[in-house]
Amino acid sequence: MAVADDLDRATDSTWDWVAEHTRKYIASGGTEGHESNGVYTLVLATTGRRTGEPRRTCLIYGTSGDDFVVVASKGGADEDPAWFKNLQAEPTVGVQVGTRRFTARARVASAAEREPLWTQMAGIFPLYNEYAQKTDRVIPIVLLTPQD
């Protein structure tokens, strides 16, 4: 399972611009890359479902109570992103939000939770609505609950 300590040694996203953003975020201790034009990102470390190795990516987030909310959009692709498949297999993850690091438990938002969370996240990043139009899948919303 991925934990907060895995953030430094995890393999980066295969998307170059995401990997570059993630490396800058981690190297700065979270002082760079957390916010851009009012949009906030976190670094998520999951456990590779096939390799067992930690993987990391940067994601836009919102909050709901003490939970952090992320969207498994993959730009509206027809398949879920690898990080989402990984956390389905092992929901314990490492997270960095700004300078704060913690281990969290991930879960998919219930049907009742999804609609207001979707509205909130699309308000933060309006392209999510366009992504939803590009695919037949229901784009998952994930809640990350800090464990420490």
Side-chain angles (χ1 to χ4, degrees), residues 64 67 69 107-121 141-143 145:
S64 178
D67 294 339
V69 181
R107 69 175 179 85
V108 176
S110 69
E113 293 170 313
R114 189 181 185 289
E115 189 172 331
L117 290 173
W118 181 268
T119 300
Q120 173 190 342
M121 294 307 293
I141 295 179
V142 176
L143 294 135
T145 304

Side-chain angles (χ1 to χ4, degrees), residues 19-147:
E20 183 179 325
H21 182 101
T22 304
R23 285 191 294 270
K24 182 169 102 174
Y25 199 124
I26 295 295
S28 72
T31 61
E32 294 181 45
H34 179 230
E35 184 271 336
S36 177
N37 298 318
V39 177
Y40 292 87
T41 59
L42 57 74
V43 179
L44 175 71
T46 61
T47 302
R49 64 197 175 284
R50 292 188 301 264
T51 66
E53 294 296 316
R55 309 284 185 199
R56 68 184 181 192
T57 192
C58 247
L59 300 166
I60 294 168
Y61 76 90
T63 58
S64 178
D66 292 335
D67 294 339
F68 292 87
V69 181
V70 293
V71 178
S73 66
K74 197 176 180 182
D78 287 330
E79 70 278 344
D80 291 323
W83 64 262
F84 179 74
K85 294 175 185 176
N86 288 345
L87 66 77
Q88 285 184 298
E90 173 49 70
T92 301
V93 297
V95 180
Q96 182 162 341
V97 178
T99 59
R100 178 183 174 203
R101 285 187 174 198
F102 55 92
T103 300
R105 186 86 175 163
R107 69 175 179 85
V108 176
S110 69
E113 293 170 313
R114 189 181 185 289
E115 189 172 331
L117 290 173
W118 181 268
T119 300
Q120 173 190 342
M121 294 307 293
I124 291 169
F125 190 69
L127 284 176
Y128 286 140
N129 286 323
E130 289 181 32
Y131 296 167
Q133 296 301 313
K134 291 170 59 176
T135 183
D136 290 332
R137 73 182 171 97
V138 175
I139 296 175
I141 295 179
V142 176
L143 294 135
L144 306 169
T145 304
Q147 302 296 295

